[in-house]
């Protein structure tokens, strides 16, 4: 075939191949669509985060009837027990999904628990410390979950206590879970749903146990 006829044909084929390559490249690297998709995804994530934050704030507002948390004592007495681990949150007693958000009780963090005669002091780096007063403790029990956090069976130490008009469950996990048993033994076992009666003050119990004072008139009546 004449070379004069082949050259235009080769040129045409080369031009068509080049155009096809450019078209495919444009399809693969459609940056406008990619940027729009990424921006849309970021906006969606921001919206979800904003809704979660507003829901959390609204929950804290609804729990505004809770009083401020008791502050740890400036000079606590001698420690009976100490435990290092994590604080996993607080809920309404017996309702492991009804999470308490007011006064920082919803913030999960590291924690150190110390049991003294004043109660259980909870020290939380990065969050507010608080005291569970001894006369408000209703007991403790092992659990596997609280405030939406699920662990292994018995992996949590849950302390039930009275705060204001509400009965709360606060969940902790020791770095060594074997320590939970000792805390339950000392604080007393508590089963969800059972009546939560306040602990009887020691002086009142002693007064009831003490014998009644002797009345000399009874002796005179006996003589008569």
């Amino acid at each position: 075939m004449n070379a004069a006829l082949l050259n235009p044909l080769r040129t045409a084929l080369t031009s068509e191949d080049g155009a096809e390559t450019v078209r495919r490249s444009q399809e693969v690297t459609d940056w406008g669509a990619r940027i729009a998709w990424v921006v849309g995804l970021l906006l969606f994530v921001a919206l979800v985060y904003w809704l979660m934050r507003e829901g959390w704030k609204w929950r804290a507002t609804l729990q505004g009837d809770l009083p401020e948390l008791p502050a740890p004592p400036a000079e606590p007495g001698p420690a009976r027990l100490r435990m290092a681990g994590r604080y996993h949150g607080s809920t309404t007693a017996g309702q492991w999904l009804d999470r308490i958000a007011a006064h920082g009780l919803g913030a999960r963090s590291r924690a150190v628990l110390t049991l003294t005669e004043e109660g259980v002091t909870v020290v939380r780096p990065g969050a507010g410390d608080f005291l569970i007063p001894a006369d408000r403790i209703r007991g403790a029990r092992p659990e596997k979950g609280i405030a939406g956090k699920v662990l292994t069976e018995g992996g949590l130490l849950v302390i039930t206590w009275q705060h204001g008009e509400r009965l709360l469950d606060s969940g902790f996990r020791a770095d060594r879970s074997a320590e939970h048993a000792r805390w339950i033994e000392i604080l007393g076992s508590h089963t969800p749903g059972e009546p939560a009666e306040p602990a009887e003050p020691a002086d009142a119990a002693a007064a009831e146990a003490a014998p009644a004072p002797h009345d000399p008139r009874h002796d005179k009546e006996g003589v008569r």
Side-chain angles (χ1 to χ4, degrees):
M1 187 178 292
N2 194 337
L5 296 176
L6 289 176
N7 287 335
L9 181 59
R10 291 173 180 172
T11 303
L13 292 174
T14 302
S15 300
E16 290 179 1
D17 291 342
E20 181 68 17
T21 301
V22 171
R23 185 180 64 80
R24 290 180 178 177
S25 177
Q26 290 176 343
E27 291 177 355
V28 172
T29 58
D30 190 353
W31 292 108
R34 286 192 176 189
I35 292 174
W37 185 86
V38 171
V39 170
L41 179 62
L42 292 176
L43 289 175
F44 175 76
V45 171
L47 176 62
V48 170
Y49 177 79
W50 180 81
L51 290 174
M52 291 175 61
R53 182 179 177 85
E54 290 300 308
W56 191 254
K57 290 168 63 177
W58 177 246
R59 176 179 286 269
T61 301
L62 293 177
Q63 297 166 353
D65 60 315
L66 279 176
E68 291 290 333
L69 296 174
E75 296 182 0
R80 296 182 61 190
L81 280 178
R82 184 173 282 109
M83 182 180 81
R86 290 194 64 84
Y87 168 74
H88 283 283
S90 296
T91 66
T92 301
Q95 303 180 30
W96 77 288
L97 289 178
D98 187 15
R99 191 171 179 182
I100 302 297
H103 308 306
L105 285 176
R108 294 189 174 106
S109 64
R110 289 286 302 173
V112 176
L113 275 65
T114 305
L115 176 63
T116 66
E117 60 181 8
E118 287 87 1
V120 178
T121 299
V122 182
V123 176
R124 299 187 296 165
D129 304 338
F130 63 95
L131 172 72
I132 303 178
D135 60 348
R136 301 185 195 176
I137 297 174
R138 302 295 179 258
R141 68 183 186 276
E143 281 287 0
K144 66 177 180 180
I146 193 169
K149 181 71 173 181
V150 180
L151 300 172
T152 57
E153 189 69 37
L156 280 173
L157 168 68
V158 173
I159 299 176
T160 303
W161 59 295
Q162 189 78 35
H163 185 47
E165 298 298 322
R166 295 200 188 199
L167 195 63
L168 304 182
D169 282 342
S170 294
F172 306 90
R173 178 176 175 82
D175 292 336
R176 296 187 297 271
S177 58
E179 298 178 11
H180 294 173
R182 181 60 175 159
W183 281 80
I184 294 172
E185 178 184 352
I186 291 183
L187 296 180
S189 178
H190 175 75
T191 302
E194 71 179 6
E197 299 180 358
E200 187 177 4
D203 52 354
E208 291 182 3
H214 179 70
D215 190 347
R217 291 177 297 177
H218 294 314
D219 297 337
K220 293 181 180 179
E221 291 176 359
V223 172
R224 292 176 186 175

